[in-house]
């Protein structure tokens, strides 16, 4: 049995020119870009191949744009791959659904185009997110509990990325209160350039609309196990997968558990398909002391060298 896990990155992995070399060589990839542009109503190729960092970071464009890059690389390489499992970080989870056949590629792109629009509409100047570094999980959760109780405002751990990297999400007053505890404990809280409190109940209205849309799609059993952000476990029942994904937008990303659970199930080779290699770097902390191989493929040259 293969010991290969395919990982797909999420927001924050974008870079200028992403996906261009593959699309200009391979018409199937270019077709994905054109389809995503039609669904999103945005000039995605202009934004990511010729635009600036501010435009590339906008979630309504980034969600379909990055998903196209992730799935283009997967589609280009899939005949050379025999994955035992897959997982995607936040937005990247949708690429896992497309790669494993839970959703068609077309429905995946439609879904993330809507998800991006809905999440761009929840902008609130009183809401935000912050990365927390140099603190362990218990200390971060203690700071979050203090921030919420001290202010009476919503705050939670949105991303459990690695034992030394977390993201908190909620109302800014609560984030600031938590920041006092973080500073006292010699940690660092770095505000993130986002417009809302993603992966928190504060975007429940958008999540409800998105869940209604997901209910209309055709859901299939995966060709190989998909590990989910909400549960950190694999699920093969299409109806259960639909339920899980309906709550994904407001639930925490349990990335540490996903990686360690995949390792416990036999994964030893981790291949990240997408720009920058962010998830490959996180493996160092999440699998510290364990034997594994981690590699990222983010462009045509790397993909051709892998084939």
């Amino acid at each position: 049995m293969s010991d290969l896990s395919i990982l797909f990155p999420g927001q924050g992995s974008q870079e200028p020119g992403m996906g261009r070399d593959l699309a200009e060589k391979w018409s199937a990839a270019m077709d994905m870009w054109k389809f995503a542009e039609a669904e999103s109503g945005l000039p995605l190729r202009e934004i990511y191949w010729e635009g600036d960092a501010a435009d590339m970071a906008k979630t309504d464009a980034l969600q379909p744009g990055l998903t196209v890059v992730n799935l283009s690389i997967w589609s280009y390489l899939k005949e050379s791959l025999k994955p035992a499992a897959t997982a995607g970080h936040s937005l990247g989870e949708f690429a896992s659904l497309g790669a494993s056949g839970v959703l068609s590629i077309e429905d995946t792109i439609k879904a993330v185009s809507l998800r991006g629009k809905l999440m761009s509409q929840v902008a609130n100047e009183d809401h935000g997110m912050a990365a927390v570094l140099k603190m362990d999980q218990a200390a971060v959760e203690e700071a979050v509990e203090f921030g919420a109780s001290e202010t009476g405002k919503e705050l939670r751990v949105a991303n459990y990325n690695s034992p030394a990297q977390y993201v908190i999400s909620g109302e800014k007053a609560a984030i600031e209160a938590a920041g006092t505890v973080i500073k006292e404990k010699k940690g660092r809280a770095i505000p993130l350039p986002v417009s809302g409190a993603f992966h928190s109940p504060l975007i429940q209205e958008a999540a409800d609309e998105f869940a209604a849309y997901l209910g209309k799609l055709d859901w299939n059993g995966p060709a190989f196990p998909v590990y989910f952000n909400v549960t950190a476990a694999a699920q093969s029942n299409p109806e259960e997968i639909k339920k899980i994904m309906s709550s994904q937008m407001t639930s925490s990303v349990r990335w540490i558990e996903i990686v360690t659970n995949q390792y416990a199930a036999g994964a030893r080779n981790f291949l990240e398909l997408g720009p920058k290699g962010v998830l490959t770097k996180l493996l160092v902390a999440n699998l510290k002391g364990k034997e594994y191989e981690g590699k990222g493929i983010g462009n045509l040259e790397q993909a051709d060298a892998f084939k």
Side-chain angles (χ1 to χ4, degrees):
M1 179 176 290
S2 169
D3 65 355
L4 174 65
S5 172
I6 302 295
L7 306 178
F8 293 103
Q11 294 188 182
S13 290
Q14 69 273 14
E15 62 182 9
M18 66 179 189
R20 183 172 189 165
D21 53 359
L22 180 55
E24 290 181 342
K25 173 184 177 178
W26 193 44
S27 62
M30 186 66 80
D31 289 343
M32 279 192 214
W33 280 101
K34 293 177 179 178
F35 183 78
E37 287 177 338
E39 287 300 318
S40 66
L42 297 170
L44 299 176
R45 285 171 291 170
E46 179 180 331
I47 292 169
Y48 290 100
W49 298 355
E50 301 171 8
D52 59 26
D55 286 339
M56 289 193 295
K58 292 178 180 177
T59 192
D60 56 343
L62 180 51
Q63 297 210 24
L66 184 60
T67 300
V68 166
V69 175
N70 293 350
L71 285 175
S72 293
I73 298 170
W74 158 259
S75 298
Y76 188 68
L77 289 177
K78 66 181 181 180
E79 299 303 324
S80 303
L81 301 172
K82 294 182 180 179
T86 184
H89 188 282
S90 189
L91 168 65
E93 190 158 61
F94 285 87
S96 280
L97 298 180
S100 64
V102 172
L103 294 177
S104 68
I105 298 296
E106 291 79 8
D107 278 352
T108 300
I109 293 172
K110 289 178 181 179
V112 296
S113 296
L114 176 60
R115 188 176 185 267
K117 288 177 184 177
L118 292 173
M119 290 176 71
S120 71
Q121 293 167 2
V122 298
N124 187 316
E125 62 181 13
D126 295 324
H127 298 170
M129 302 177 76
V132 181
L133 309 176
K134 299 183 178 180
M135 289 177 66
D136 63 25
Q137 181 173 323
V140 173
E141 290 175 341
E142 182 180 333
V144 165
E145 184 178 351
F146 174 82
S149 61
E150 182 74 7
T151 62
K153 304 292 186 180
E154 177 66 41
L155 186 63
R156 68 161 54 191
V157 181
N159 295 7
Y160 293 83
N161 289 336
S162 82
Q165 184 187 124
Y166 301 85
V167 175
I168 60 177
S169 179
E171 295 175 81
K172 288 183 178 178
I175 293 174
E176 291 173 5
T180 62
V181 176
I182 293 167
K183 186 176 181 180
E184 288 171 0
K185 296 192 174 184
K186 310 301 183 185
R188 291 182 62 200
I190 304 171
L192 298 179
V194 296
S195 59
F198 304 145
H199 291 290
S200 86
L202 293 172
I203 61 168
Q204 188 64 56
E205 185 175 348
D208 289 343
E209 184 173 344
F210 188 55
Y213 175 79
L214 293 180
K216 301 174 183 177
L217 301 180
D218 292 326
W219 296 78
N220 308 296
F224 40 86
V226 179
Y227 283 69
F228 290 92
N229 290 193
V230 175
T231 63
Q235 176 58 254
S236 59
N237 183 294
E239 286 301 312
E240 290 301 314
I241 292 174
K242 180 167 62 175
K243 290 178 185 177
I244 290 169
M245 294 307 298
S246 294
S247 64
Q248 191 243 31
M249 194 186 290
T250 56
S251 299
S252 300
V253 177
R254 297 164 60 181
W255 192 253
I256 299 170
E257 293 173 86
I258 286 173
V259 172
T260 54
N261 287 346
Q262 287 193 347
Y263 189 90
R268 295 295 181 271
N269 286 284
F270 295 85
L271 184 64
E272 180 180 0
L273 303 184
K276 282 193 176 179
V278 171
L279 301 180
T280 305
K281 294 171 185 173
L282 288 177
L283 290 171
V284 176
N286 286 325
L287 296 176
K288 187 176 182 179
K290 296 180 170 64
E291 293 186 4
Y292 73 93
E293 291 186 12
K295 183 177 182 179
I297 296 177
N299 56 46
L300 177 60
E301 182 180 0
Q302 294 168 340
D304 281 339
F306 181 86
K307 273 189 168 184

